[in-house]
Amino acid sequence: MIISVCGFKGGVSKTTTAVHLAWYFAGKGSVLLVDGDPNRSATGWSQRGNFPFKICDLMAAAKFSQGIDFTILDTPARPDAEELRAIAEGCDLLILPTSPDALAIEALFQTAETLRSLENCRVLLSMCDVRKQSMVDAARKGIEARQLPLFKSEIRLYTAYQKAALLGVPVYQSKDRYGRIAWNDYTALGKEIESHD
């Protein structure tokens, strides 16, 4: 299975999602995490720790993807409509994380027509502040009103992710008191992906 994670703007947990899905699926089979983002954030994360799967850049993906069960691609941010279609054609599932704030949702809506035409695309609400649930609910309603495909799972906002990135580990190994709770969000997302596979 090939999963691409793509964001319309920076800071919507695109790399965090790619890294944690790679960790989730590492428990299900062989995984390759492809760091296609120019910032190389996923590579930096892995270099600070010890990932149980291979990570490579986009240019080496063809070489290392042979015989792999799950390939997770962290794509460059801010794709235009044509790039988005090309990314979607190259994967089984295109995940589009977006935070529930107005600017991120607006960026998502700017390509709403393109998204509706992509059968393998789903929006993921991420960085959801539990103290602002009404904003998260409003974002969900807005996305559903546009008839965009949307995961039921949501990724809540925790500082545990920042600790995990600094340590080079998944969030459940961050030693933060909310690390396990944060991991449960990605476990739920992984199970939702598997149920639609």
Side-chain angles (χ1 to χ4, degrees):
M1 181 177 200
I2 301 172
I3 300 171
S4 291
V5 185
C6 188
F8 291 108
K9 65 184 290 291
V12 293
S13 76
K14 179 176 63 68
T15 297
T16 298
T17 296
V19 166
H20 283 85
L21 285 178
W23 275 90
Y24 175 83
F25 284 109
K28 311 290 180 181
S30 58
V31 168
L32 174 66
L33 177 57
V34 180
D35 191 349
D37 193 307
N39 295 327
R40 296 289 184 260
S41 299
T43 300
W45 194 327
S46 72
Q47 288 172 343
R48 290 186 289 275
N50 186 21
F51 284 18
F53 45 82
K54 178 75 177 168
I55 182 166
C56 70
D57 68 19
L58 197 55
M59 300 305 287
K63 175 182 177 182
F64 292 112
S65 62
Q66 302 301 314
I68 294 291
D69 298 316
F70 301 97
T71 299
I72 315 293
L73 175 61
D74 182 14
T75 69
R78 301 173 191 88
D80 60 28
E82 190 174 314
E83 290 168 330
L84 196 60
R85 286 191 197 93
I87 292 168
E89 284 178 13
C91 66
D92 300 302
L93 175 63
L94 174 59
I95 299 175
L96 299 159
T98 182
S99 58
D101 68 271
L103 293 177
I105 295 297
E106 184 179 307
L108 178 71
F109 288 166
Q110 285 175 358
T111 56
E113 287 304 317
T114 302
L115 298 182
R116 272 197 290 272
S117 69
L118 301 176
E119 294 180 8
N120 62 337
C121 160
R122 294 179 83 185
V123 175
L124 172 67
L125 275 170
S126 63
M127 302 183 71
C128 299
D129 191 332
V130 294
R131 298 165 302 177
K132 300 176 182 176
Q133 191 58 45
S134 60
M135 184 171 79
V136 177
D137 294 341
R140 180 170 286 280
K141 286 179 184 175
I143 293 167
E144 289 171 344
R146 298 272 183 137
Q147 298 181 325
L148 300 177
L150 177 65
F151 283 105
K152 291 177 185 173
S153 304
E154 294 175 358
I155 306 302
R156 290 170 287 182
L157 180 65
Y158 292 109
T159 57
Y161 289 115
Q162 295 166 353
K163 294 177 184 177
L166 286 172
L167 293 170
V169 297
V171 73
Y172 65 84
Q173 292 179 8
S174 67
K175 300 179 182 173
D176 185 279
R177 63 181 175 152
Y178 292 108
R180 282 276 171 195
I181 296 170
W183 175 246
N184 289 343
D185 289 352
Y186 276 109
T187 299
L189 176 61
K191 289 178 179 176
E192 190 173 350
I193 290 169
E194 288 181 292
S195 70
H196 286 87
D197 187 16

